[in-house]
Amino acid sequence: MMFSSSLSSSLHCFPPPSPTFQNLKNNDRLIHNFNTPLELKQLHARLIKTNTPLSILPLTKVAFVCALSPSFSYAHQIFSHLLEIPQTSIWNSCLIRFAEGDCPSNALLLFYQMRLFDVLPDTFTCSFVLKACLKLSDVVNGKIIHGLFQKLGFGSNLFLQNMILNLYGLCGEMGDAMLLFEKMPQRDAVTWNIVIAQLVKRGDIDGAYGFFLRMPNKNVRSWTSMISGFVQCGKPNEAIDLFMKLEDEAVRPNEVTVVSVLAACADLGDLDLGRSVHEYSTKSGFKRNVHVCNTLIDMYVKCGCLENARRVFYEMEERTVVSWSAMIAGLAMHGQAEEALCLFSEMIKLGVKPNGVTFIGLLHACSHMGLIDEGRRFFASMTADYGVIPQIEHYGCVVDLFSRAGLLEEAHEFILSMPIKPNGVVWGALLGGCKVHKNIDLAEEAIKRLSELDPLNDGYYVVISNIYAEAERWEDAARVRKLMKDRGVKKTSGWSSITVNGVVHEFVAGDQTHPQAEDICKIWDKLLVKMKRRGYAPKTSVVLLDMEEKEKEKFLYRHSEKLAVVFGLMTTPEGTPIRIMKNLRVCEDCHAALKIISGIVSREIIVRDRNRFHCFRDGQCSCRDFW
C-alpha cells in the first residue's frame, strides 16, 4: 500500500530536477543496477525520497525484471502512469528476448500475463509469441494466437499468416495448413516455399511437386527445396532434370542448391555434371563453404575419382569431423585401408575428435583389407577412448570383418552377444561370409533370422540358393526358389551403366538391345583371345544353372559389366579411365576378367558395385578380394 500511494503521488507531481537528481542522473550504475522486483522497489523508494521523477527509470529493464513474477502488476502500474502511449512495445521487447532465448516458454507465460491485464497485443506481439511456438512445436497455443490475431483484424497480415502456416506444417497439422493456404487472401514466395518444404519433409514428393508447378513466381529456394526433396526421396534423376530446368530459367543456384545437386551426382555417379557444378561453385566463391566441400569429397569418392576427392580435402581452409570422416570412408571404399588409417592418425594429432561415422569408415577399411586386429582395436577404443557408443552400423561392420576373414563362429557369437537387437544387415553380413567360406549350417541359421526380419529382400534368398547350388543340394535350392515365388519375391535384375559424352548407357546380362551390340560382341571375342593368353579361365562355378560348360561360358561372357567395359573401350579416348556403375556385386569371374583386361589395354577400370569400389589397374585390383 505504501508503494502504491507513493507511486500515485510521485507520478502526478514532477518538480524541477534538484542537485540530488543531477547526482543520481550522473550515477547511471545506480539507476540500472537492479535485478529483482525487490531491488526495483528499493530504487523506487529512493527516487521518491530524492524527489526524482520515475521517468528516469529504464522501462525495458523494469518490464524484464517483473515480467514473470507476481510484480507484473507493479510494473504495469508504473507504465500506465508514465506512458501516454500503449505499453505494448515495452512488453514486446521482453517477448522477443524470451522467444529467442533458451526458454521460449517464458514468452508464452508473459503473453498470458499481458492478456490478463488487458495489454493490447499488436502484430509484433503475435509474431514473437508465434516464434516461441515454432521453437516449442506448440500447435495448441499457436492456434490460440491464430484465433486472436484474426479477431484483432490482423488476418490480412501476410507475415503472421506465413508464420502460422509454417507452424501447422512443422507440427504435422497438414490438413489445417492446406485449409489455411487455400483461404489466404494473398500469398508470396515464402508461402509457397513453406508448403513445398513441409511436404518434402514428410516424403510427399509428388504433392510438393504439384505445388511447385502451380507456384507463379519460383525463386532459388523453391527450386532448391524440390531438388533436395528428390534427392532425399531417392530420385536423383529427377533432381538433376530439375536442375537442368533451373539453369534454363537463368536462376542462379546457391550453396544449398549446389550441395543437393552434388548429392544427386554422387548417387548416379554422374562425374561430368559433378565436375561442372564444382567449377561453378569455385567461380561463385563457394570454395570456403565447408558443407559444399564435404559434399564434393563425397561426390568424387562415389564417382570413383579418389584423387580429386583428395585434392578438395587438402585444399580446404577449414576441415570439420565430417570432412575427415568423408575422406576416411572414401579411402576405405576404394581399398586404400592403410591411407585411411594414416589419415585417422593425422586427424587425432590435430585434435579433431572422431564421431560414429569416422569409426564406420575405419571399420570398413579394416573389413575390406582383412585387418582383423586393427578392427578389434578400433571397435574397443571408440567407446573407451572417445566416448562413442556403438550403433547397429558399427556392430554390422564387426560382423562383416569377422565373416570376411572366415571367423564365422566368432561372428555368430558376436551377434548373439550384441546389446541391441541385430537387424537384417548384421545377419546378411554373416550370410555373405557363409557363402564365401561354404558354411551351410550357419547360413541356414542366418536365413532363418533374415526371413523374419526382411522377408521381401531378394538378395538373401539368392545367396542361400547359391550356397545350396554350390553344394549340389539342388532340391534345397529349388525349395528356396519356390519360397521366393510363393512370397512374391522377385530377383533383382543386374545391370551396369557407363556414361559417355553425357549419355548414360545401361547394359543387362546377355544384352542384345544396344544399337552397337554386334560391335561389342566382336571386340569382346578379340579381347577374349588375349585374355586367355594371359591365363584367364572362365569361372563357370559362379553360374548356378543346370547347363553345359560351354553354355555357362557364353553366359559369363555376356555379364553386364563386361559389356559396359567393352563399350567404354570402343567409345572413350585411349588412356582415359573407364567408370562403371553396377547395382549388384561384381561376380568372381568378372573380377578376375577385369583385372586382366586392365593390364591388356593399359586403362584404369573403376567399377562401383553395391558395396564398394574396385579399381583395376595394370592387372591388379585395389581390393583384397572381389567380395
Side-chain angles (χ1 to χ4, degrees), residues 32-33 71 75 156 165 225 298 302 306 324 372 401 462 510:
H32 292 84
N33 193 26
S71 296
S156 60
L165 181 69
S225 290
D298 184 63
K302 290 179 178 176
L306 192 58
W324 290 92
I372 309 299
L401 172 70
V462 171

Side-chain angles (χ1 to χ4, degrees), residues 289-439:
N289 186 302
V290 175
H291 197 22
V292 170
C293 291
N294 290 343
T295 315
L296 276 169
I297 293 171
D298 184 63
M299 183 274 295
Y300 279 126
V301 162
K302 290 179 178 176
C303 289
C305 280
L306 192 58
E307 191 55 44
N308 285 21
R310 285 193 189 97
R311 188 175 300 114
V312 172
F313 177 80
Y314 285 110
E315 287 178 356
M316 291 176 69
E317 296 179 7
E318 175 192 358
R319 302 186 195 107
T320 65
V321 64
V322 176
S323 318
W324 290 92
S325 300
M327 198 64 234
I328 289 170
L331 290 166
M333 287 175 65
H334 284 263
Q336 306 298 317
E338 292 183 3
E339 187 179 348
L341 303 192
C342 289
L343 194 64
F344 176 72
S345 297
E346 183 182 346
M347 170 185 175
I348 297 304
K349 286 178 183 177
L350 292 173
V352 181
K353 185 178 179 181
N355 61 17
V357 178
T358 316
F359 283 101
I360 290 174
L362 292 169
L363 291 170
H364 271 145
C366 295
S367 179
H368 289 313
M369 300 307 290
L371 304 176
I372 309 299
D373 293 336
E374 289 85 346
R376 293 183 201 273
R377 284 198 294 271
F378 281 127
F379 186 74
S381 71
M382 61 185 289
T383 301
D385 299 332
Y386 303 103
V388 178
I389 305 300
Q391 302 299 314
I392 192 70
E393 295 83 1
H394 302 100
Y395 289 104
C397 288
V398 174
V399 173
D400 188 58
L401 172 70
F402 292 155
S403 299
R404 286 177 184 274
L407 304 175
L408 300 176
E409 292 294 343
E410 185 172 355
H412 186 225
E413 291 174 6
F414 182 82
I415 293 173
L416 297 179
S417 66
M418 285 170 52
I420 54 181
K421 184 179 179 180
N423 62 7
V425 175
V426 173
W427 286 107
L430 177 63
L431 181 64
C434 291
K435 180 181 184 301
V436 173
H437 299 287
K438 306 185 188 319
N439 188 318

Side-chain angles (χ1 to χ4, degrees), residues 188-194 196-197 200 208-209 211-213 215-230 242 246 251 254 257:
D188 60 4
V190 174
T191 315
W192 289 90
N193 287 338
I194 287 170
I196 291 169
V200 165
Y209 192 53
F211 274 92
F212 177 80
L213 293 176
M215 187 173 178
N217 296 305
K218 304 174 182 66
N219 58 20
V220 67
R221 186 169 181 176
S222 322
W223 290 92
T224 301
S225 290
M226 278 311 311
I227 291 169
S228 63
F230 279 130
L242 197 60
L246 174 149
V251 177
N254 59 22
T257 321

Side-chain angles (χ1 to χ4, degrees), residues 481-493:
R481 289 195 292 271
K482 183 177 183 303
L483 182 61
M484 290 178 67
K485 184 177 180 180
D486 292 343
R487 292 183 174 180
V489 180
K490 294 184 179 180
K491 183 179 181 297
T492 302
S493 299

Side-chain angles (χ1 to χ4, degrees), residues 29 66 71 166 231 236 248 295 299 349 364 448 480 487 502 592 599:
R29 182 188 63 81
C66 297
S71 296
N166 193 26
V231 174
D248 292 341
T295 315
M299 183 274 295
K349 286 178 183 177
H364 271 145
K448 177 183 176 183
V480 173
R487 292 183 174 180

Side-chain angles (χ1 to χ4, degrees), residues 269-286:
D270 192 336
L271 181 60
D272 293 338
L273 179 58
R275 282 174 169 161
S276 175
V277 174
H278 184 187
E279 184 179 350
Y280 168 80
S281 65
T282 301
K283 290 179 180 177
S284 300
F286 301 161

